[in-house]
Amino acid sequence: MSRIKRWINMHGKEFNPDGTLKDEVRQQKISSGSDPAAIDSYARRLKTSYDEWKHLDETDPEEWVEYTAYDFFTPTQKEQFNPDGSLRPEYMESELNNGISEGWLEEMERRKKIEVDNYNQVSAAHAEQGINYGAWQMRERIGASRTYVQRRKQQEKDLRNFEDVDSLPFDKDASY
């Protein structure tokens, strides 16, 4: 999705979809004692940021990779399930031959279909807000799969860049 969608999501209560301050917001701020010049300055700054984000959307659109729930299946799950969460016929046949009950296989399928449906609903809701849920989940998984040494090196960079201490994976004062 676009940067503009995210901008509107952040500022849409006060600003119109074209990046201008809503008249009723301006009037409310004036009636609560705000200086009209300060309001105008605020509106100009936000309109400038809107225009910058819009320009970036037009000249350098963000990559939007569409991930599906299937992209997050483990290799074993990909052998067991189709992308929609239904069991693969060959897997079902193999498990029935191994003595697994049909009821359990149906339950596995039911649960996986619910998981896929939930992913699709959350992904769609996030997309409406300009957030690529699948990409966010993928970045989280990649970060979680880093080695300890990689995470320590990243923390050192984060500390040099004055990142919030709460966002660090380890206690900054601990000796390792």
Side-chain angles (χ1 to χ4, degrees):
M1 282 294 158
S2 70
R3 293 173 182 97
I4 287 298
K5 270 195 168 187
R6 281 198 308 278
W7 190 95
I8 291 170
N9 191 42
M10 290 187 295
H11 304 290
K13 291 179 181 169
E14 293 185 330
F15 288 83
N16 295 310
D18 67 354
T20 57
L21 186 66
K22 292 179 179 178
D23 289 333
E24 61 269 15
V25 172
R26 185 178 187 347
Q27 295 306 318
Q28 186 273 329
K29 287 182 180 289
I30 289 172
S31 68
S32 66
S34 295
D35 179 25
I39 297 167
D40 292 341
S41 174
Y42 170 69
R44 276 192 306 277
R45 285 192 318 272
L46 271 287
K47 175 65 170 148
T48 299
S49 101
Y50 172 91
D51 291 340
E52 288 171 0
W53 286 33
K54 184 174 185 204
H55 177 73
L56 282 171
D57 275 349
E58 293 166 353
T59 60
D60 186 22
E62 292 180 315
E63 181 180 8
W64 188 276
V65 178
E66 287 285 337
Y67 290 98
T68 66
Y70 189 73
D71 294 316
F72 297 95
F73 286 13
T74 66
T76 301
Q77 290 171 332
K78 287 182 178 182
E79 291 174 7
Q80 297 170 333
F81 297 98
N82 294 308
D84 68 350
S86 61
L87 282 171
R88 293 187 179 275
E90 59 275 11
Y91 175 77
M92 187 174 242
E93 183 180 324
S94 166
E95 291 303 294
L96 287 171
N97 290 337
N98 288 333
I100 302 297
S101 75
E102 189 172 340
W104 173 243
L105 293 171
E106 288 171 356
E107 180 63 16
M108 284 177 59
E109 182 176 78
R110 184 187 74 78
R111 290 179 184 186
K112 186 54 81 175
K113 283 183 174 184
I114 289 171
E115 185 181 310
V116 169
D117 289 345
N118 287 342
Y119 174 90
N120 292 339
Q121 289 173 2
V122 170
S123 182
H126 279 73
E128 288 176 12
Q129 299 172 27
I131 300 167
N132 187 334
Y133 178 73
W136 176 60
Q137 290 291 304
M138 193 59 74
R139 282 190 303 273
E140 188 174 287
R141 280 202 174 184
I142 290 168
S145 69
R146 285 185 180 162
T147 66
Y148 171 80
V149 173
Q150 290 170 318
R151 290 192 313 250
R152 286 292 301 160
K153 286 180 181 177
Q154 183 61 49
Q155 177 164 318
E156 290 169 12
K157 285 181 190 176
D158 291 345
L159 285 168
R160 286 193 302 271
N161 292 327
F162 305 104
E163 293 290 332
D164 186 11
V165 175
D166 292 342
S167 70
L168 300 175
F170 306 110
D171 180 355
K172 75 179 185 87
D173 298 321
S175 58
Y176 296 96

